[in-house]
Amino acid sequence: MTDAAEDVRPLLRVRQVREFTDAPVDPAALDAVADAARWSGSSRNSQPWRFIVIREPATLRALAEAGLPQTRSLATARAAIAIALPTEPGRRVVHGYDEGRAAERMLIAASLLDLAAGIAWIRSEVRPAVAGLLGLPQDRFVRTVVAIGHPTDAARKPKSAPGEARLPREETVFSERWPG
Ligand SMILES: Cc1cc2nc3c(=O)[nH]c(=O)nc-3n(C[C@H](O)[C@H](O)[C@H](O)COP(=O)(O)O)c2cc1C
């Protein structure tokens, strides 16, 4: 592997984890993940997000129950960070873009800290229950909760055969023009 490819390998190791051990998450690590998120870039630097750091087991489990199956990772997560966005209808796409940037940063930060994380998507019909659990004001909603913890051995195992986790390079990366 070239040096450049080796340098970006920590990013390639970032994976979605949905099952966590009982080991607690260091509060300083959780703060570092939240800081990585709030330093994400956003459209016109509007920073539309607010991040709710959740450590209370009862809240984590209630979130898991509310949004199954997408929220199953929260059944074992020791912590989570919810992204609260404004409900402004005209800004939906741009806020979603910014939200994705922050969510991925949290997954990367967790991985760099030897933690693991996963995205739990809150379906629209589940959002009122989540708003109630998190005490959101009327003008905010949560679509993404990032589950955080230490991965179980099973969760650490590769989910696919070597080389099969992603489409092959030649099918996804093109030079100069669409091929054909
Ligand atoms: C927009 C978005 C929403 C996702 N929603 C969920 C979800 O609700 N629950 C879940 O367990 N995983 C969710 N995922 C994680 C994907 O399933 C995961 O990234 C994909 O399976 C690749 O897994 P890997 O990165 O571990 O290879 C979501 C990912 C994205 C980008």
Side-chain angles (χ1 to χ4, degrees):
M1 206 179 256
T2 63
D3 283 351
E6 197 50 45
D7 286 349
V8 300
R9 260 196 92 73
L11 295 183
L12 273 50
R13 283 200 201 99
V14 177
R15 279 289 146 83
Q16 169 85 16
V17 165
R18 300 189 179 89
E19 200 184 79
F20 303 93
T21 69
D22 287 344
V25 176
D26 175 8
L30 209 47
D31 284 347
V33 174
D35 278 332
R38 77 182 179 82
W39 275 96
S40 302
S42 56
S43 166
R44 294 184 287 159
N45 200 23
S46 61
Q47 304 166 71
W49 43 59
R50 297 294 179 270
F51 301 103
I52 304 179
V53 179
I54 306 159
R55 302 178 61 92
E56 177 56 49
T59 309
L60 295 166
R61 304 314 165 236
L63 289 168
E65 287 289 317
L68 290 171
Q70 286 84 357
T71 50
R72 61 197 181 283
S73 55
L74 295 164
T76 54
R78 290 301 303 251
I81 300 181
I83 306 178
L85 293 173
T87 44
E88 299 164 62
R91 307 274 299 159
R92 267 185 200 135
V93 172
V94 80
H95 284 161
Y97 192 102
D98 294 341
E99 174 188 22
R101 295 185 69 186
E104 184 67 11
R105 277 204 182 198
M106 289 195 251
L107 264 61
I108 294 167
S111 173
L112 293 174
L113 292 165
D114 270 332
L115 292 165
I119 291 171
W121 178 268
I122 307 300
R123 283 177 283 117
S124 46
E125 65 269 29
V126 178
R127 287 180 201 159
V130 169
L133 286 167
L134 300 180
L136 298 184
Q138 281 295 323
D139 58 353
R140 292 271 166 180
F141 77 103
V142 165
R143 171 169 46 205
T144 301
V145 180
V146 176
I148 302 172
H150 296 271
T152 61
D153 289 341
R156 273 182 207 276
K157 290 213 175 88
K159 288 177 257 181
S160 336
E164 288 182 10
R166 295 294 186 264
L167 293 169
R169 188 172 207 285
E170 60 276 15
E171 283 182 32
T172 45
V173 182
F174 309 139
S175 178
E176 306 296 348
R177 287 176 65 82
W178 191 267

